[in-house]
Amino acid sequence: MPGKNKLRMGIVGTGRRGVYLASLYNAHPDCEITALCDRFEPIVNEAADKLGLPGVARFTSFERLIDSGLVDALVIAAPPTIQVDMACYAMEHGIHVTTEVPAAYTIEQCWKLVRTVKQTGMKYQLCEQLRYASFVQEWEQMARNGEFGKILFAEGEYFHYEENWRRFTDLKTGKLYSAPEEAGSGSELERSWRDLTFRHPILYLPHTLSPLLKITNDRVTRVSCYGTRPQGYTHPEWSVRDIEVALMHTSNDTIIRAAVGFSTPHGPRRHTSCHWYQVKGTQRTVEWSRSKADKPRMWSSGDDDWTEMDWTLRSDQASEFVQTSGHGGVDGWPVESFVRAILEDSDVTMNVYEAVETAAPAILAAESADEGGIMKEVPNFRE
């Protein structure tokens, strides 16, 4: 049985990402994993073994997990295309929820998530982690202090190439394959959510947009998007746009540009690997490293040249649990926030409004790309 004051956490979706998130929560001193759930029993059992939890409750039915009374909160690492229905069902049954990026894939899902959180009063948090990077927090503080002057422009890029983005799931075993022929004849396969949704890479815009909206304390009101042809150049056999670029206008009259791509190679950035950012104001501009040999830099009005900066991802102010977590010490931030918010009945650090304010521009950007770059109005979910 879990400790008296520990948060009882369930993990839904026990693939590679789900097991990683479970390991973070299992390592938190105020949390204990009490249930694992996946539609494939072999995958659940494998996850329990990897996590060293031989006695953990195991489910292949999401509804039975919810009815079990074994969890206070859930990490939903199931395909993002279906996670909103799961999250809302759990919250309607008195269970707090954190989900993966992106929060939603349709505007209707965005509204459903907002309505359910308002109606149930349960905690909901999106676990986008780059917004907690030390350099993002420093840039955010500069913005709050007025050091940028008026922020006119912000931009970000997320170019993350892997040859095995396309995955196929064996419907008997849950095992993943990069190509149907790897599974052998007679196997019944299903395309993974990545293979289906990365046809529009801009749908993963929330991972890039989240830090920028945090820095600017803003929301997107209009978005337009263009993409390359809906067939890869690096991989012509893939039905995917190699690059999509969204141009956005915000409520504070800032222009944001963001580019996303997954199907063509790109050189790594310093510390952030696939991410790059810039924020330009009337008085100051900051820019992240362009390469591993490059350093972040800052320019202020009146300076003769840029000044190289020692900004990093890992914060010296964070707890040991956070600092020792993955992705340069940022993965632990949403875990710490979610656990503390529930145990102390405090606010989460990325609430449902902030979550859908990253998802909705991405959804509409994908539509815009299919419609020749037409401008789309983004709903105000706070009204």
Side-chain angles (χ1 to χ4, degrees):
M1 295 294 291
K4 182 179 179 181
N5 297 316
K6 287 193 174 185
L7 180 67
R8 302 180 304 162
M9 180 67 67
I11 310 297
V12 179
T14 55
R16 184 175 64 177
R17 179 63 178 170
V19 169
Y20 174 66
L21 292 174
S23 70
L24 289 176
Y25 279 94
N26 199 42
H28 194 283
D30 297 321
C31 180
E32 188 162 348
I33 303 299
T34 54
L36 301 175
C37 180
D38 197 289
R39 58 176 170 157
F40 301 108
E41 186 174 1
I43 301 300
V44 178
N45 292 334
E46 184 179 329
D49 291 340
K50 287 180 179 178
L51 293 165
L53 299 171
V56 70
R58 308 171 194 195
F59 297 88
T60 55
S61 166
F62 177 70
E63 290 77 15
R64 288 184 179 178
L65 166 62
I66 298 300
D67 293 339
S68 70
L70 293 174
V71 298
D72 305 309
L74 290 179
V75 175
I76 297 182
T81 46
I82 63 172
Q83 69 180 1
V84 170
D85 287 342
M86 287 183 163
C88 293
Y89 185 84
M91 287 187 284
E92 289 165 352
H93 286 76
I95 296 172
H96 306 287
V97 176
T98 181
T99 66
E100 276 280 65
V101 178
Y105 273 117
T106 68
I107 297 299
E108 292 75 16
Q109 287 179 342
C110 290
W111 281 114
K112 181 176 182 177
L113 203 53
V114 169
R115 286 196 301 267
T116 303
V117 172
K118 289 177 66 175
Q119 290 168 359
T120 64
M122 304 308 294
K123 309 286 185 187
Y124 168 83
Q125 178 178 280
L126 185 68
C127 58
E128 196 287 312
Q129 81 278 47
L130 193 58
R131 65 182 1 238
Y132 304 98
S134 180
F135 79 90
V136 172
Q137 295 188 52
E138 291 192 52
W139 293 4
E140 180 189 19
Q141 191 58 52
M142 287 182 194
R144 300 297 173 273
N145 295 340
E147 296 174 37
F148 286 102
K150 169 70 178 79
I151 295 179
L152 305 170
F153 178 64
E155 60 180 335
E157 295 173 354
Y158 185 52
F159 297 141
H160 187 172
Y161 175 68
E162 291 183 19
E163 287 193 79
N164 64 348
W165 274 123
R166 300 175 75 236
R167 297 286 183 86
F168 298 84
T169 304
D170 188 313
L171 293 179
K172 291 183 179 179
T173 66
K175 187 175 180 180
L176 290 173
Y177 296 95
S178 297
E181 53 269 23
E182 293 179 6
S185 61
S187 299
E188 186 179 358
L189 302 178
E190 176 183 85
R191 287 181 172 181
S192 75
W193 68 271
R194 295 204 302 187
D195 184 55
L196 291 169
T197 59
F198 282 2
R199 296 176 183 181
H200 272 298
I202 204 66
L203 287 170
Y204 215 63
L205 169 66
H207 202 15
T208 299
L209 187 56
S210 170
L212 293 176
L213 294 184
K214 186 173 189 288
I215 293 164
T216 58
N217 190 30
D218 209 347
R219 70 175 184 87
V220 175
T221 58
R222 291 180 291 168
V223 59
S224 174
C225 182
Y226 284 92
T228 53
R229 69 180 190 184
Q231 177 187 3
Y233 284 95
T234 302
H235 295 278
E237 73 278 13
W238 291 9
S239 298
V240 60
R241 296 182 188 270
D242 286 322
I243 300 290
E244 286 184 313
V245 181
L247 193 63
M248 294 162 276
H249 188 250
T250 76
S251 62
N252 290 333
D253 195 25
T254 296
I255 304 300
I256 297 178
R257 182 194 73 90
V260 187
F262 296 100
S263 54
T264 189
H266 191 275
R269 315 292 193 183
R270 182 186 182 96
H271 298 312
T272 55
S273 180
C274 308
H275 296 270
W276 176 83
Y277 290 102
Q278 179 182 208
V279 177
K280 174 178 173 52
T282 55
Q283 298 297 319
R284 173 171 290 176
T285 302
V286 294
E287 182 178 308
W288 190 246
S289 309
R290 287 271 183 190
S291 71
K292 287 185 176 181
D294 193 18
K295 294 190 71 173
R297 54 177 54 89
M298 177 174 70
W299 181 86
S300 298
S301 179
D303 290 351
D304 291 332
D305 202 353
W306 294 80
T307 300
E308 290 188 342
M309 306 298 292
D310 292 322
W311 292 316
T312 63
L313 273 70
R314 185 174 283 105
S315 171
D316 294 336
Q317 307 303 314
S319 67
E320 182 180 358
F321 168 78
V322 170
Q323 288 195 48
T324 56
S325 64
H327 283 103
V330 298
D331 285 351
W333 281 103
V335 175
E336 179 74 23
S337 166
F338 191 54
V339 172
R340 293 267 69 80
I342 295 170
L343 294 179
E344 299 172 4
D345 193 21
S346 56
D347 293 335
V348 296
T349 52
M350 189 172 189
N351 62 34
V352 69
Y353 296 108
E354 293 167 312
V356 298
E357 284 168 356
T358 64
I363 295 161
L364 296 171
E367 293 180 8
S368 174
D370 281 339
E371 298 172 20
I374 189 171
M375 185 68 70
K376 299 275 187 174
E377 298 289 330
V378 180
N380 183 356
F381 296 95
R382 298 176 189 257
E383 289 184 343

